[in-house]
Amino acid sequence: MAQDCTFTEGSFTCFCPLTGVVDLLGRKYTMQIVCVVGAHEPVRFGDVEAHLPSASTSTLSSRLEELAEAGLVTREQYDEIPPRVEYELTEDGRELCGRLEPLLEWAAARQ
C-alpha cells in the first residue's frame, strides 16, 4: 500500500489511512461507546451513560455525535414525549466492533 509521506528537516510526516481512525478511536470513551452500543443496540443515551458512569454527559454526547458523523453509529430520534433517541451501529460500526474484540480480550488478559 502506498503512503503519502514527506520528510522535512527534523520532521517526518506520513498521511496514511489510519490517521483519522486513530484520532477518532483515541478519544476518551470512543471505543467503550462502540462496544456498549454494539452489545445493547438499539440503546438509549441513558443506557450508555449507565455503562460509563465516569464519563460526563457532554463527553458522551460529543463522542456519539462524532461516531455518527464518521458513519459508525446511527442516531434515531422519535417524536415522542418524553423525547426518545436510540443509537445503533452501522455496518462499518459492527465491523469495527468485531475488530476491537481481540484488543479487548488482550487487554482483559493483561489485567
Side-chain angles (χ1 to χ4, degrees):
M1 172 188 294
Q3 296 181 357
D4 182 13
C5 298
T6 58
F7 180 77
T8 56
E9 188 174 331
S11 174
F12 179 77
T13 306
C14 189
F15 299 99
C16 68
L18 278 179
T19 303
V21 172
V22 170
D23 287 346
L24 176 61
L25 294 180
R27 292 174 181 249
K28 195 167 189 176
Y29 301 112
T30 300
M31 287 189 271
Q32 292 95 326
I33 291 169
V34 169
C35 293
V36 168
V37 174
H40 302 283
E41 63 184 340
V43 65
R44 295 178 72 173
F45 185 86
D47 297 326
V48 176
E49 272 188 313
H51 282 88
L52 301 167
S54 62
S56 71
T57 300
S58 62
T59 298
L60 290 178
S61 180
S62 295
R63 293 303 167 267
L64 283 162
E65 186 177 313
E66 291 164 0
L67 288 165
E69 288 174 6
L72 299 172
V73 169
T74 60
R75 180 184 189 274
E76 182 75 29
Q77 183 169 341
Y78 297 90
D79 292 328
E80 299 174 354
I81 303 214
R84 177 170 56 115
V85 177
E86 292 181 341
Y87 297 91
E88 289 187 68
L89 296 179
T90 63
E91 257 332 286
D92 285 342
R94 283 187 198 92
E95 183 179 354
L96 172 63
C97 191
R99 293 179 185 271
L100 287 175
E101 284 181 27
L103 178 61
L104 296 171
E105 290 168 6
W106 176 81
R110 293 184 49 88
Q111 289 185 349

